[in-house]
Amino acid sequence: MSIVSFGNYPKINQDLVTAQQQNALKRYIERTAERERIANELQTKNSLEVDTPQRTAMRKTLINPRDGLAMERLIGESDLFPTSYLEAGLKASKPVCRIEIRDHIGRVLGHGTGFLVSPSLLLTNNHVLENVDAARFSLAQFNYEVDLNLMPRQVKSFRLEPDRFFITDLELDFTLVAVELNDADGTKLSEFGFLPLFTESGKALLGEYVSIIQHPSGAPKAVAIRENKINDVFDDFIHYTTDTMPGSSGSPVLNDEWVVLALHHSGVPDPNDSTKYIVNEGIRISSIMKYLAAQQQSLSADKRKLLENLIAGTSKQPAPTADSGPKPMLVEELSYEWYERSTGYQAKFLGDNYEVLLPQLRSDLEQDIAPLKAGGNVLNYTHFSIVMSKSRRLAYYTAVNIDGSQLINLNRDADKWYFDPRLDRKYQCGPELYENNDLDRGHLVRRLDPVWGEQAKEANEDTFHFTNCSPQHKNLNQKTWLDLENYILQNAGKYDLMVTVFTGPVFRSDDVLYRREFQIPAEFWKVVAIVKDNGELSATAYLQTQKNLIIDLEFAYGEYKTYQIPVLKIEDLTGLDFGDLRQHDPLERIEAVVGRIIESPEDIRL
């Protein structure tokens, strides 16, 4: 049996490496009796029965409910995986890089492994990057791997920026350092994603198999898949065995959901044979996160912000497989220059004779409109606009122009969300609302609606602003909502499928108060304006409720309903005034109509 080694490091760090190994050996020897007890229990019991109830409960939350064999794998009764497991593993490997350790004149002293844990921060061992000087001259090399033809990929080298952020600890043997956001060729660091770190204990259990993505001895990237078995858990460390090739410290140790549970840092040497190792040791991520949280107040504002972005991504989430729902959230802010070409919603989009102005808020609500820093109150994006509420920190309404003849079906990449710098942050709900619960970041302007024409990519990116999302329960079925929009597009035969859509939440005083600061809307509305084949303007309104779903965010159940209702009813519910648009509502001409349940496109009345 060969053990993952401590890597290929400069001679000046050998004393640190030796000290880490001796400390690991001391822990191993002290726990001999306990480890034997655990081994005996695992012969007759499974991981869920042997580990503590608290850790077991946490481990279960990381299981994707769509993976029917996950529990069987956890208790050792199955080794079957969906093929998406391999795709998820490939995705998890992208943020892992080789660290090339250099001196001040550029000489290569050795290599280690590290991995991105936020949009701009990298985690590795203290004995890889011992201090600021070591980090300043070293490189993070991504794509140092081979392709399907076993040919080398093009390596992307990024400089480290320890002056921007650097925290290290000898006892926990970790270093967290900033990385430049673009390399010399203009490649963005964000292309490689990151592995989120969760604060909770219990991401892997005693007896569970784990995987390690690594640069073995500085060589191209490799992975030891499920050949590493956890045999002991300490307060700050875990021990695990392996049958893999020698590897490098600073590698992520991951469970079956590809969630990082430890930072690999040392082999435990065999006291009877100095050429061999007994087990491997990793530092628990929960211990590293606890240490980092304690450092926040001592940091400068800019460094604290970088650390807050890391900690903001530490909520429990399902496995990052190709179809596993919400993805880890990247939180960023675009420059003011990004918005210079954003003309926003166009009132005459449907034609010069069909001007549809933005709705106006009732006079008593005007004081609640969030002002822009540069004046005004309309946030213009590519092909859509938004007006925000100060008190609710959500959009009063969104307005989008859709040109069906130019729509481009762009893929959804990393789940990256933006705060809008044109609006004070206190008027925008961010990760603090959506973490660790069943609330989705529901797009108000549907992602693909404004994605048309020459600025399609910009429009796609613009839809991922926090100003454009509203909390929606994960069980709120969007199928009827989407079918409705698709049906209207297909029936808008004139003016090359030109459509204008207004969307927003219904704000009620009795909306559920969540986390003592957020009121969760129970209903959402939509008003759609098109020009029909006969040349007439048509304006239809729809209401969807999630009221039964959000009574209890942890144990929610109930059905959603979608209704077609008069535009006038939306005005009554929201305090918005759509002007002449209500006169073009087919339901206005039907007396005593309160609403029609929409269960299929055939139920829609244009």
Side-chain angles (χ1 to χ4, degrees):
M1 180 176 69
S2 59
I3 302 297
V4 177
S5 72
F6 51 82
N8 175 24
Y9 304 113
K11 294 180 179 179
I12 57 173
N13 283 344
Q14 291 302 327
D15 289 342
L16 288 178
V17 172
T18 301
Q20 294 290 355
Q21 290 180 348
Q22 292 305 311
N23 289 333
L25 176 58
K26 181 180 179 182
R27 283 187 284 270
Y28 180 85
I29 293 173
E30 290 175 348
R31 292 272 292 190
T32 299
E34 177 66 11
R35 188 171 54 257
E36 290 176 353
R37 181 194 67 78
I38 293 170
N40 290 333
E41 281 198 58
L42 286 172
Q43 289 182 357
T44 57
K45 299 179 180 179
N46 61 57
S47 298
L48 295 174
E49 297 171 315
V50 172
D51 221 314
T52 66
Q54 294 81 7
R55 287 171 50 77
T56 297
M58 165 58 189
R59 183 65 184 89
K60 288 180 178 179
T61 67
L62 296 175
I63 293 175
N64 190 327
R66 300 179 186 177
D67 187 349
L69 292 174
M71 192 64 69
E72 283 74 9
R73 287 195 297 272
L74 191 58
I75 63 178
E77 293 184 358
S78 174
D79 284 322
L80 295 175
F81 286 85
T83 55
S84 61
Y85 171 78
L86 299 176
E87 184 178 355
L90 183 62
K91 180 179 179 181
S93 76
K94 286 183 68 67
V96 179
C97 65
R98 183 176 78 162
I99 297 176
E100 188 168 83
I101 307 164
R102 296 184 174 189
D103 64 13
H104 67 287
I105 61 173
R107 291 179 300 185
V108 177
L109 304 177
H111 295 94
T113 300
F115 55 102
L116 293 171
V117 294
S118 85
S120 59
L121 296 179
L122 177 143
L123 184 66
T124 187
N125 290 133
N126 167 270
H127 71 258
V128 176
L129 297 175
E130 182 182 355
N131 50 45
V132 168
D133 286 339
R136 181 174 289 117
F137 304 116
S138 298
L139 297 175
Q141 298 175 323
F142 295 87
N143 274 359
Y144 187 60
E145 55 193 64
V146 296
D147 61 19
L148 289 175
N149 297 316
L150 299 183
M151 297 296 292
R153 297 188 187 276
Q154 184 179 4
V155 177
K156 299 294 183 179
S157 295
F158 291 77
R159 294 188 178 279
L160 305 179
E161 297 183 333
D163 294 331
R164 188 156 67 96
F165 191 97
F166 186 88
I167 289 181
T168 192
D169 183 68
L170 177 62
E171 183 176 348
L172 290 178
D173 193 19
F174 82 88
T175 290
L176 185 66
V177 61
V179 186
E180 64 178 350
L181 298 182
N182 298 278
D183 72 359
D185 297 328
T187 301
K188 294 182 178 180
L189 186 67
S190 59
E191 292 183 13
F192 301 96
F194 68 90
L195 293 169
L197 303 182
F198 299 159
T199 58
E200 296 86 355
S201 171
K203 294 177 282 293
L205 305 179
L206 288 164
E208 184 176 354
Y209 287 100
V210 293
S211 301
I212 302 176
I213 302 173
Q214 58 195 288
H215 283 278
S217 299
K221 190 181 298 175
V223 58
I225 301 179
R226 300 193 87 239
E227 288 294 338
N228 314 275
K229 191 171 185 178
I230 297 176
N231 62 8
D232 205 353
V233 176
F234 302 79
D235 288 342
D236 296 324
F237 303 90
I238 64 168
H239 282 176
Y240 40 92
T241 57
T242 181
D243 271 328
T244 67
M245 294 292 291
S248 297
S249 289
S251 304
V253 183
L254 308 108
N255 63 17
D256 279 346
E257 281 68 47
W258 298 103
V259 170
V260 186
L261 59 108
L263 172 68
H264 175 70
H265 87 127
S266 179
V268 178
D270 187 337
N272 300 315
D273 187 343
S274 60
T275 65
K276 296 181 179 179
Y277 295 89
I278 307 170
V279 292
N280 281 320
E281 183 175 83
I283 306 104
R284 293 175 60 182
I285 292 300
S286 55
S287 296
I288 294 175
M289 295 303 294
K290 182 178 179 180
Y291 180 95
L292 291 172
Q295 306 303 308
Q296 280 185 278
Q297 297 307 314
S298 63
L299 300 175
S300 62
D302 54 340
K303 290 181 172 61
R304 186 163 58 246
K305 183 178 179 180
L306 285 174
L307 188 56
E308 286 173 351
N309 285 342
L310 165 63
I311 295 176
T314 61
S315 60
K316 301 185 294 294
Q317 298 199 28
T321 55
D323 60 350
S324 63
K327 306 296 189 296
M329 178 171 43
L330 296 153
V331 180
E332 294 186 8
E333 189 173 282
L334 296 167
S335 66
Y336 279 91
E337 289 74 18
W338 172 268
Y339 306 94
E340 289 179 351
R341 294 179 60 197
S342 300
T343 56
Y345 171 83
Q346 301 296 304
K348 293 187 177 181
F349 181 74
L350 299 181
D352 290 340
N353 298 324
Y354 305 98
E355 185 175 32
V356 181
L357 299 174
L358 290 175
Q360 299 298 308
L361 274 168
R362 205 170 55 222
S363 58
D364 61 305
L365 298 176
E366 288 181 353
Q367 63 183 1
D368 189 49
I369 298 176
L372 276 60
K373 294 176 182 177
N377 53 38
V378 179
L379 288 165
N380 288 323
Y381 299 98
T382 305
H383 302 149
F384 67 98
S385 298
I386 295 175
V387 170
M388 297 288 292
S389 163
K390 288 194 294 188
S391 61
R392 298 297 288 263
R393 299 161 64 186
L394 301 172
Y396 265 119
Y397 68 82
T398 65
V400 61
N401 302 129
I402 308 172
D403 186 341
S405 67
Q406 297 189 65
L407 287 173
I408 298 174
N409 188 16
L410 293 181
N411 291 327
R412 176 174 182 158
D413 297 321
D415 204 4
K416 183 190 304 180
W417 286 82
Y418 301 102
F419 285 107
D420 194 317
R422 300 173 295 174
L423 186 69
D424 196 303
R425 184 74 64 88
K426 66 183 179 182
Y427 300 138
Q428 305 176 65
C429 290
E432 66 275 8
L433 169 58
Y434 300 99
E435 289 177 354
N436 199 21
N437 55 35
D438 285 337
L439 292 175
D440 286 342
R441 300 176 294 280
H443 279 72
L444 293 175
V445 171
R446 189 173 61 157
R447 182 178 69 86
L448 291 178
D449 282 356
V451 181
W452 52 268
E454 294 180 356
Q455 292 181 268
K457 289 185 178 180
E458 290 89 337
N460 182 66
E461 202 84 355
D462 276 349
T463 64
F464 286 92
H465 278 80
F466 284 114
T467 52
N468 185 46
C469 71
S470 189
Q472 296 179 344
H473 192 276
K474 68 176 184 179
N475 292 337
L476 179 64
N477 192 322
Q478 295 292 303
K479 185 178 186 301
T480 305
W481 213 231
L482 298 179
D483 283 350
L484 180 155
E485 292 177 324
N486 291 334
Y487 176 79
I488 292 170
L489 277 175
Q490 292 164 9
N491 283 274
K494 200 164 186 177
Y495 296 102
D496 293 326
L497 306 175
M498 310 290 264
V499 185
T500 285
V501 179
F502 302 96
T503 307
V506 177
F507 294 148
R508 298 182 183 274
S509 60
D510 62 350
D511 282 336
V512 171
L513 182 63
Y514 184 55
R515 293 180 175 172
R516 300 184 180 181
E517 61 173 316
F518 305 106
Q519 280 190 280
I520 309 300
E523 296 163 315
F524 296 88
W525 58 268
K526 192 178 294 291
V527 172
V528 181
I530 63 171
V531 177
K532 297 190 294 185
D533 287 335
N534 61 8
E536 292 183 3
L537 183 66
S538 173
T540 51
Y542 309 89
L543 184 72
Q544 187 171 61
T545 179
Q546 62 174 358
K547 199 156 191 174
N548 293 337
L549 292 175
I550 63 173
I551 294 173
D552 188 327
L553 287 173
E554 303 305 325
F555 302 97
Y557 65 94
E559 61 179 350
Y560 68 93
K561 293 287 185 181
T562 299
Y563 302 88
Q564 181 176 355
I565 63 176
V567 172
L568 185 61
K569 182 65 175 176
I570 296 296
E571 293 182 324
D572 292 340
L573 289 173
T574 62
L576 293 171
D577 183 352
F578 286 91
D580 294 338
L581 204 58
R582 70 178 78 92
Q583 300 175 12
H584 302 280
D585 182 356
L587 294 191
E588 287 293 316
R589 296 187 286 272
I590 303 176
E591 293 185 5
V593 171
V594 177
R596 299 165 49 87
I597 294 180
I598 304 298
E599 295 178 339
S600 69
E602 289 72 25
D603 297 324
I604 298 171
R605 179 164 297 181
L606 295 177

Short mmCIF file of all heavy atoms in Angstrom, two decimals, residues 102-141:
data_model
loop_
_atom_site.label_atom_id
_atom_site.label_comp_id
_atom_site.label_asym_id
_atom_site.label_seq_id
_atom_site.Cartn_x
_atom_site.Cartn_y
_atom_site.Cartn_z
N ARG A 102 8.43 29.51 -6.46
CA ARG A 102 9.60 30.17 -7.04
C ARG A 102 10.23 31.11 -6.02
O ARG A 102 9.60 31.54 -5.06
CB ARG A 102 9.20 30.97 -8.28
CG ARG A 102 8.67 30.13 -9.43
CD ARG A 102 8.39 31.01 -10.63
NE ARG A 102 8.02 30.25 -11.81
CZ ARG A 102 7.90 30.76 -13.03
NH1 ARG A 102 8.15 32.07 -13.21
NH2 ARG A 102 7.56 30.03 -14.05
N ASP A 103 11.50 31.44 -6.29
CA ASP A 103 12.16 32.45 -5.47
C ASP A 103 12.11 33.80 -6.18
O ASP A 103 11.51 33.93 -7.25
CB ASP A 103 13.58 32.04 -5.10
CG ASP A 103 14.50 31.93 -6.33
OD1 ASP A 103 14.10 32.41 -7.42
OD2 ASP A 103 15.59 31.37 -6.19
N HIS A 104 12.78 34.81 -5.61
CA HIS A 104 12.66 36.17 -6.12
C HIS A 104 13.31 36.38 -7.48
O HIS A 104 13.05 37.38 -8.16
CB HIS A 104 13.27 37.15 -5.11
CG HIS A 104 14.76 37.01 -4.95
ND1 HIS A 104 15.32 35.95 -4.28
CD2 HIS A 104 15.78 37.78 -5.41
CE1 HIS A 104 16.65 36.08 -4.32
NE2 HIS A 104 16.95 37.18 -4.99
N ILE A 105 14.15 35.45 -7.93
CA ILE A 105 14.75 35.57 -9.26
C ILE A 105 14.14 34.58 -10.25
O ILE A 105 14.66 34.38 -11.35
CB ILE A 105 16.29 35.41 -9.22
CG1 ILE A 105 16.67 34.02 -8.68
CG2 ILE A 105 16.93 36.52 -8.42
CD1 ILE A 105 18.16 33.76 -8.77
N GLY A 106 13.02 33.95 -9.85
CA GLY A 106 12.28 33.10 -10.77
C GLY A 106 12.69 31.65 -10.80
O GLY A 106 12.16 30.88 -11.61
N ARG A 107 13.62 31.23 -9.94
CA ARG A 107 14.01 29.81 -9.93
C ARG A 107 12.89 28.97 -9.33
O ARG A 107 12.29 29.34 -8.32
CB ARG A 107 15.28 29.62 -9.10
CG ARG A 107 16.53 30.20 -9.75
CD ARG A 107 17.74 29.99 -8.87
NE ARG A 107 17.57 30.63 -7.56
CZ ARG A 107 18.50 30.68 -6.62
NH1 ARG A 107 19.68 30.12 -6.85
NH2 ARG A 107 18.27 31.29 -5.47
N VAL A 108 12.61 27.82 -9.95
CA VAL A 108 11.58 26.92 -9.45
C VAL A 108 12.15 26.09 -8.31
O VAL A 108 13.14 25.35 -8.49
CB VAL A 108 11.06 25.99 -10.57
CG1 VAL A 108 10.05 25.01 -10.01
CG2 VAL A 108 10.45 26.83 -11.70
N LEU A 109 11.54 26.20 -7.13
CA LEU A 109 12.03 25.50 -5.94
C LEU A 109 11.27 24.20 -5.67
O LEU A 109 11.77 23.33 -4.96
CB LEU A 109 11.92 26.42 -4.71
CG LEU A 109 12.63 27.77 -4.81
CD1 LEU A 109 12.37 28.59 -3.56
CD2 LEU A 109 14.13 27.57 -5.02
N GLY A 110 10.09 24.09 -6.20
CA GLY A 110 9.29 22.89 -5.95
C GLY A 110 7.85 23.12 -6.38
O GLY A 110 7.51 24.14 -6.98
N HIS A 111 6.99 22.14 -6.08
CA HIS A 111 5.59 22.21 -6.50
C HIS A 111 4.68 21.74 -5.37
O HIS A 111 5.07 20.91 -4.54
CB HIS A 111 5.34 21.36 -7.75
CG HIS A 111 6.06 21.85 -8.95
ND1 HIS A 111 7.30 21.36 -9.32
CD2 HIS A 111 5.75 22.80 -9.87
CE1 HIS A 111 7.72 21.97 -10.41
NE2 HIS A 111 6.78 22.85 -10.77
N GLY A 112 3.47 22.25 -5.38
CA GLY A 112 2.42 21.82 -4.47
C GLY A 112 1.09 21.83 -5.21
O GLY A 112 1.03 22.03 -6.42
N THR A 113 0.02 21.65 -4.47
CA THR A 113 -1.34 21.68 -5.03
C THR A 113 -2.14 22.71 -4.26
O THR A 113 -1.90 22.94 -3.08
CB THR A 113 -2.01 20.29 -4.93
OG1 THR A 113 -1.23 19.35 -5.66
CG2 THR A 113 -3.42 20.32 -5.51
N GLY A 114 -3.08 23.33 -4.91
CA GLY A 114 -4.00 24.26 -4.27
C GLY A 114 -5.31 24.24 -5.02
O GLY A 114 -5.44 23.62 -6.07
N PHE A 115 -6.33 24.94 -4.50
CA PHE A 115 -7.61 24.99 -5.19
C PHE A 115 -8.36 26.26 -4.81
O PHE A 115 -8.25 26.75 -3.68
CB PHE A 115 -8.46 23.75 -4.93
CG PHE A 115 -8.71 23.43 -3.47
CD1 PHE A 115 -9.93 23.75 -2.86
CD2 PHE A 115 -7.74 22.79 -2.71
CE1 PHE A 115 -10.16 23.45 -1.53
CE2 PHE A 115 -7.97 22.49 -1.37
CZ PHE A 115 -9.18 22.81 -0.78
N LEU A 116 -9.11 26.79 -5.77
CA LEU A 116 -9.89 27.99 -5.55
C LEU A 116 -11.09 27.68 -4.65
O LEU A 116 -11.79 26.68 -4.87
CB LEU A 116 -10.38 28.57 -6.87
CG LEU A 116 -9.30 29.12 -7.81
CD1 LEU A 116 -9.90 29.45 -9.18
CD2 LEU A 116 -8.64 30.34 -7.20
N VAL A 117 -11.33 28.55 -3.66
CA VAL A 117 -12.45 28.35 -2.74
C VAL A 117 -13.41 29.54 -2.78
O VAL A 117 -14.40 29.56 -2.02
CB VAL A 117 -11.94 28.10 -1.31
CG1 VAL A 117 -11.17 26.79 -1.25
CG2 VAL A 117 -11.05 29.26 -0.83
N SER A 118 -13.14 30.52 -3.61
CA SER A 118 -14.02 31.66 -3.84
C SER A 118 -13.61 32.24 -5.19
O SER A 118 -12.66 31.76 -5.81
CB SER A 118 -13.88 32.70 -2.72
OG SER A 118 -12.80 33.58 -2.96
N PRO A 119 -14.31 33.26 -5.68
CA PRO A 119 -13.93 33.81 -6.99
C PRO A 119 -12.49 34.32 -7.08
O PRO A 119 -11.97 34.47 -8.18
CB PRO A 119 -14.93 34.96 -7.18
CG PRO A 119 -16.12 34.55 -6.39
CD PRO A 119 -15.57 33.84 -5.19
N SER A 120 -11.82 34.57 -5.93
CA SER A 120 -10.46 35.12 -6.02
C SER A 120 -9.50 34.60 -4.95
O SER A 120 -8.39 35.09 -4.84
CB SER A 120 -10.51 36.65 -5.95
OG SER A 120 -11.09 37.08 -4.75
N LEU A 121 -9.92 33.62 -4.16
CA LEU A 121 -9.06 33.11 -3.08
C LEU A 121 -8.71 31.65 -3.30
O LEU A 121 -9.55 30.84 -3.71
CB LEU A 121 -9.74 33.28 -1.72
CG LEU A 121 -10.02 34.71 -1.26
CD1 LEU A 121 -10.71 34.71 0.09
CD2 LEU A 121 -8.75 35.54 -1.21
N LEU A 122 -7.46 31.30 -2.99
CA LEU A 122 -6.93 29.95 -3.19
C LEU A 122 -6.48 29.38 -1.85
O LEU A 122 -5.87 30.09 -1.04
CB LEU A 122 -5.78 29.98 -4.18
CG LEU A 122 -5.04 28.67 -4.48
CD1 LEU A 122 -4.66 28.62 -5.96
CD2 LEU A 122 -3.79 28.53 -3.64
N LEU A 123 -6.74 28.10 -1.63
CA LEU A 123 -6.36 27.42 -0.39
C LEU A 123 -5.28 26.39 -0.67
O LEU A 123 -5.37 25.63 -1.63
CB LEU A 123 -7.58 26.73 0.23
CG LEU A 123 -7.39 26.04 1.58
CD1 LEU A 123 -7.07 27.07 2.68
CD2 LEU A 123 -8.64 25.25 1.96
N THR A 124 -4.25 26.37 0.16
CA THR A 124 -3.21 25.35 0.10
C THR A 124 -2.63 25.20 1.50
O THR A 124 -3.21 25.68 2.47
CB THR A 124 -2.13 25.72 -0.93
OG1 THR A 124 -1.22 24.61 -1.08
CG2 THR A 124 -1.36 26.96 -0.52
N ASN A 125 -1.49 24.54 1.63
CA ASN A 125 -0.87 24.33 2.94
C ASN A 125 0.09 25.46 3.30
O ASN A 125 0.69 26.11 2.43
CB ASN A 125 -0.09 23.02 2.97
CG ASN A 125 -0.98 21.80 2.95
OD1 ASN A 125 -0.73 20.87 2.20
ND2 ASN A 125 -2.02 21.79 3.77
N ASN A 126 0.28 25.64 4.59
CA ASN A 126 1.29 26.58 5.08
C ASN A 126 2.67 26.13 4.65
O ASN A 126 3.51 26.96 4.30
CB ASN A 126 1.21 26.67 6.61
CG ASN A 126 2.40 27.37 7.22
OD1 ASN A 126 3.40 26.71 7.55
ND2 ASN A 126 2.33 28.67 7.39
N HIS A 127 2.93 24.84 4.64
CA HIS A 127 4.27 24.40 4.26
C HIS A 127 4.49 24.42 2.74
O HIS A 127 5.59 24.15 2.27
CB HIS A 127 4.61 23.03 4.86
CG HIS A 127 3.87 21.86 4.27
ND1 HIS A 127 2.80 21.26 4.89
CD2 HIS A 127 4.06 21.17 3.13
CE1 HIS A 127 2.37 20.25 4.16
NE2 HIS A 127 3.13 20.17 3.08
N VAL A 128 3.43 24.77 1.97
CA VAL A 128 3.59 25.03 0.54
C VAL A 128 3.91 26.51 0.33
O VAL A 128 4.88 26.86 -0.36
CB VAL A 128 2.33 24.63 -0.24
CG1 VAL A 128 2.47 25.00 -1.72
CG2 VAL A 128 2.07 23.13 -0.10
N LEU A 129 3.07 27.37 0.90
CA LEU A 129 3.30 28.82 0.86
C LEU A 129 3.38 29.31 2.30
O LEU A 129 2.37 29.63 2.93
CB LEU A 129 2.16 29.52 0.10
CG LEU A 129 2.00 29.16 -1.37
CD1 LEU A 129 0.77 29.83 -1.97
CD2 LEU A 129 3.25 29.52 -2.18
N GLU A 130 4.61 29.37 2.80
CA GLU A 130 4.84 29.62 4.21
C GLU A 130 4.60 31.06 4.61
O GLU A 130 4.16 31.35 5.74
CB GLU A 130 6.28 29.21 4.55
CG GLU A 130 6.66 29.36 6.00
CD GLU A 130 8.11 28.99 6.21
OE1 GLU A 130 8.78 28.53 5.25
OE2 GLU A 130 8.59 29.15 7.35
N ASN A 131 4.89 32.01 3.70
CA ASN A 131 4.78 33.41 4.04
C ASN A 131 4.46 34.24 2.79
O ASN A 131 4.36 33.70 1.68
CB ASN A 131 6.07 33.91 4.72
CG ASN A 131 7.31 33.54 3.92
OD1 ASN A 131 7.35 33.70 2.69
ND2 ASN A 131 8.33 33.01 4.59
N VAL A 132 4.32 35.55 3.01
CA VAL A 132 3.97 36.45 1.91
C VAL A 132 5.01 36.41 0.80
O VAL A 132 4.67 36.41 -0.40
CB VAL A 132 3.80 37.89 2.46
CG1 VAL A 132 3.73 38.89 1.30
CG2 VAL A 132 2.54 37.99 3.31
N ASP A 133 6.29 36.39 1.14
CA ASP A 133 7.34 36.37 0.12
C ASP A 133 7.26 35.14 -0.75
O ASP A 133 7.43 35.20 -1.98
CB ASP A 133 8.72 36.46 0.79
CG ASP A 133 9.02 37.85 1.31
OD1 ASP A 133 8.38 38.81 0.82
OD2 ASP A 133 9.86 37.98 2.21
N ALA A 134 7.01 33.98 -0.13
CA ALA A 134 6.89 32.74 -0.91
C ALA A 134 5.73 32.84 -1.89
O ALA A 134 5.82 32.38 -3.03
CB ALA A 134 6.70 31.55 0.03
N ALA A 135 4.62 33.43 -1.43
CA ALA A 135 3.46 33.56 -2.30
C ALA A 135 3.67 34.58 -3.41
O ALA A 135 3.23 34.39 -4.55
CB ALA A 135 2.24 33.95 -1.47
N ARG A 136 4.37 35.65 -3.10
CA ARG A 136 4.52 36.74 -4.06
C ARG A 136 5.22 36.29 -5.35
O ARG A 136 4.90 36.78 -6.44
CB ARG A 136 5.31 37.88 -3.40
CG ARG A 136 5.51 39.09 -4.33
CD ARG A 136 6.15 40.25 -3.60
NE ARG A 136 5.21 40.85 -2.65
CZ ARG A 136 5.40 40.89 -1.33
NH1 ARG A 136 6.47 40.34 -0.80
NH2 ARG A 136 4.51 41.46 -0.55
N PHE A 137 6.14 35.36 -5.26
CA PHE A 137 6.92 34.95 -6.43
C PHE A 137 6.41 33.65 -7.06
O PHE A 137 6.92 33.23 -8.09
CB PHE A 137 8.39 34.80 -6.05
CG PHE A 137 8.98 36.04 -5.44
CD1 PHE A 137 9.44 36.04 -4.13
CD2 PHE A 137 9.06 37.22 -6.17
CE1 PHE A 137 9.96 37.19 -3.56
CE2 PHE A 137 9.58 38.37 -5.61
CZ PHE A 137 10.04 38.36 -4.30
N SER A 138 5.41 33.01 -6.46
CA SER A 138 4.93 31.72 -6.95
C SER A 138 3.76 31.88 -7.89
O SER A 138 3.17 32.97 -8.01
CB SER A 138 4.54 30.83 -5.76
OG SER A 138 5.67 30.59 -4.94
N LEU A 139 3.40 30.79 -8.59
CA LEU A 139 2.33 30.81 -9.58
C LEU A 139 1.29 29.73 -9.30
O LEU A 139 1.63 28.65 -8.80
CB LEU A 139 2.90 30.58 -10.99
CG LEU A 139 3.87 31.62 -11.55
CD1 LEU A 139 4.41 31.14 -12.90
CD2 LEU A 139 3.19 32.98 -11.71
N ALA A 140 0.05 30.03 -9.64
CA ALA A 140 -1.02 29.02 -9.64
C ALA A 140 -1.26 28.61 -11.09
O ALA A 140 -1.65 29.44 -11.92
CB ALA A 140 -2.28 29.59 -9.02
N GLN A 141 -1.02 27.34 -11.40
CA GLN A 141 -1.08 26.87 -12.79
C GLN A 141 -2.30 25.97 -12.98
O GLN A 141 -2.35 24.85 -12.46
CB GLN A 141 0.20 26.12 -13.14
CG GLN A 141 1.45 27.01 -13.05
CD GLN A 141 2.73 26.23 -13.28
OE1 GLN A 141 2.87 25.07 -12.86
NE2 GLN A 141 3.69 26.86 -13.94
#
